[in-house]
């Protein structure tokens, strides 16, 4: 696993928005993705993008979250809109995930290893 340094988490009211970022210098040409793990829940892949620009989202966040790369800033973002209480989780950003994000979101979520610090997102009613 190649964990990156995340930022941008916090507490927000349901229906609000947050933007997560991770420093991705040196990894911008690799597959990268966002994962999350809520309290008592299994880790899941949220959004991924590969080197060819293919993007995949978990069904639970599709149409609400947007993953993007800022090539000028060497940063990966996750724009989260219309947040729900079930989005509350620790969010992690990983790089070097390969191609086909639909696949690597599923397989990577099950892997053990160093996931890094993550950033906490809390959505309250």
């Amino acid at each position: 696993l190649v964990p990156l340094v995340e930022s941008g988490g916090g507490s927000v009211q349901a229906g609000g928005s947050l933007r997560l970022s991770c420093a991705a210098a040196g990894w911008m040409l690799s597959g990268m993705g966002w994962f999350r793990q809520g309290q008592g829940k299994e880790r899941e892949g949220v959004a991924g993008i590969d080197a060819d620009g293919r993007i995949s989202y978990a069904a639970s966040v599709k149409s609400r979250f947007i993953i993007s790369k800022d090539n000028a800033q060497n940063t990966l973002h996750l724009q989260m809109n219309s947040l729900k209480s079930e989005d509350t989780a620790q969010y992690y950003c990983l790089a070097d995930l390969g191609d086909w994000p639909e696949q690597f979101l599923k397989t990577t979520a099950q892997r053990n290893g160093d996931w890094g610090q993550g950033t906490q997102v809390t959505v309250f009613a």
Side-chain angles (χ1 to χ4, degrees), residues 17-117:
S17 299
L18 279 175
R19 188 174 78 158
L20 305 183
S21 301
C22 66
W27 298 105
M28 293 296 287
L29 296 181
S30 77
M32 294 188 284
W34 289 95
F35 300 80
R36 68 185 181 186
Q37 187 166 23
Q39 189 108 14
K41 298 182 182 179
E42 290 187 356
R43 191 182 302 123
E44 64 172 336
V46 176
I49 183 168
D50 69 13
D52 290 327
R54 286 176 289 249
I55 291 174
S56 182
Y57 296 97
S60 58
V61 307
K62 212 167 186 177
S63 80
R64 299 189 298 123
F65 290 12
I66 301 170
I67 188 171
S68 63
K69 293 184 190 179
D70 182 337
N71 292 315
Q73 299 292 324
N74 290 321
T75 303
L76 181 71
H77 295 295
L78 183 68
Q79 177 67 39
M80 305 186 295
N81 301 318
S82 302
L83 282 160
K84 306 175 181 180
S85 57
E86 49 263 45
D87 296 317
T88 295
Q90 192 79 358
Y91 283 72
Y92 302 91
C93 175
L94 296 183
D96 197 24
L97 297 175
D99 296 328
W100 304 107
E102 185 173 352
Q103 186 63 28
F104 69 58
L105 287 178
K106 294 175 186 174
T107 56
T108 305
Q110 300 167 32
R111 292 178 61 185
N112 292 320
D114 179 11
W115 279 79
Q117 298 278 356

